[in-house]
Amino acid sequence: MTSSELLLKPITAEDLAAVVELDRQCLGGLWTIDGYQRELDSPNSELWAVARSRHQPQSLIAMGCFWAILEEAHITLLAVSPEYRRQGIGALLLSTLLQKAQARGLERATLEVRSSNQAAIALYQKFGFKIAGTRKKYYQDNQEDALILWLGHLVIGH
Ligand SMILES: CC(C)(COP(=O)(O)OP(=O)(O)OC[C@H]1O[C@@H](n2cnc3c(N)ncnc32)[C@H](O)[C@@H]1OP(=O)(O)O)[C@@H](O)C(=O)NCCC(=O)NCCS
């Protein structure tokens, strides 16, 4: 797939069904449709998606979100459909989120990630995120620790 076939777009109400399905596939059902609707309604939340092609704008294969809190971008989700992983789409989306955060005048970015999630940790580290601490037994499903990652300066590129 060439990047010219992909469409990077803000998530809108029309995408909600596809977003919830992607969430179920990639994140085990993190947020409900009402949760996503609240994100859409919030001026502090930015939701972006990648669609498979410009001709099928609702065929979402990846999504990401951050909350703008004071001068910080809190990345709340980043997910790529399993069959589209390792093609640079996660990096494209993360780069987009960081650019949007910078455009809002935000200065830093942070997130929590499961300590076993090597793929995500490698991606974030590629963008300069550093491990700043641990939240013990943060995830209720398996009592797994969360790593707290920070990017001190929102500089684009990796
Ligand atoms: C984490 C995730 C978003 C990465 O998406 P992706 O599109 O596969 O990532 P990319 O192809 O852009 O990879 C960029 C870099 O991340 C790292 N990376 C990605 N997947 C990796 C893996 N399975 N193992 C090791 N490193 C990996 C590599 O450094 C990679 O660069 P490279 O391909 O040049 O080696 C994807 O695996 C995913 O959706 N996982 C499930 C949801 C999740 O865990 N989200 C993060 C929650 S905080």
Side-chain angles (χ1 to χ4, degrees):
M1 172 177 295
T2 65
S3 59
S4 61
E5 292 173 308
L6 300 177
L7 172 67
L8 188 62
K9 53 175 272 189
I11 290 172
T12 65
E14 292 177 342
D15 299 316
L16 282 178
V19 158
V20 169
E21 175 54 23
L22 198 56
D23 178 312
R24 191 192 59 74
Q25 253 188 28
C26 302
L27 303 167
L30 185 65
W31 292 345
T32 61
I33 197 158
D34 290 344
Y36 281 101
Q37 183 63 59
R38 276 195 295 278
E39 297 299 319
L40 288 182
D41 294 340
S42 166
N44 296 327
S45 189
E46 287 233 15
L47 287 132
W48 285 80
V50 176
R52 194 161 44 222
S53 92
R54 293 174 188 281
H55 308 294
Q56 296 173 290
Q58 258 83 59
S59 59
L60 302 190
I61 57 171
M63 62 180 177
C65 176
F66 73 83
W67 293 339
I69 302 175
L70 301 175
E71 15 346 271
E72 297 163 0
H74 289 246
I75 296 175
T76 51
L77 56 89
L78 185 70
V80 177
S81 181
E83 64 267 40
Y84 291 95
R85 289 181 191 162
R86 293 315 290 264
Q87 298 177 46
I89 295 172
L92 169 74
L93 207 44
L94 180 57
S95 164
T96 301
L97 294 181
L98 297 176
Q99 284 176 35
K100 299 297 167 191
Q102 195 182 40
R104 279 179 178 244
L106 304 182
E107 294 171 7
R108 298 179 290 282
T110 185
L111 58 95
E112 278 114 16
V113 59
R114 285 180 191 264
S115 57
S116 66
N117 193 345
Q118 288 306 319
I121 293 165
L123 170 60
Y124 294 127
Q125 287 183 327
K126 210 168 175 183
F127 277 73
F129 281 81
K130 306 271 187 256
I131 298 169
T134 305
R135 293 192 207 284
K136 292 281 175 205
K137 300 185 177 173
Y138 182 75
Y139 296 99
Q140 290 176 352
D141 56 351
N142 64 351
Q143 302 291 301
E144 189 173 348
D145 294 348
L147 299 183
I148 306 163
L149 269 55
W150 275 95
L151 179 65
H153 299 282
L154 284 176
V155 181
I156 304 312
H158 62 282

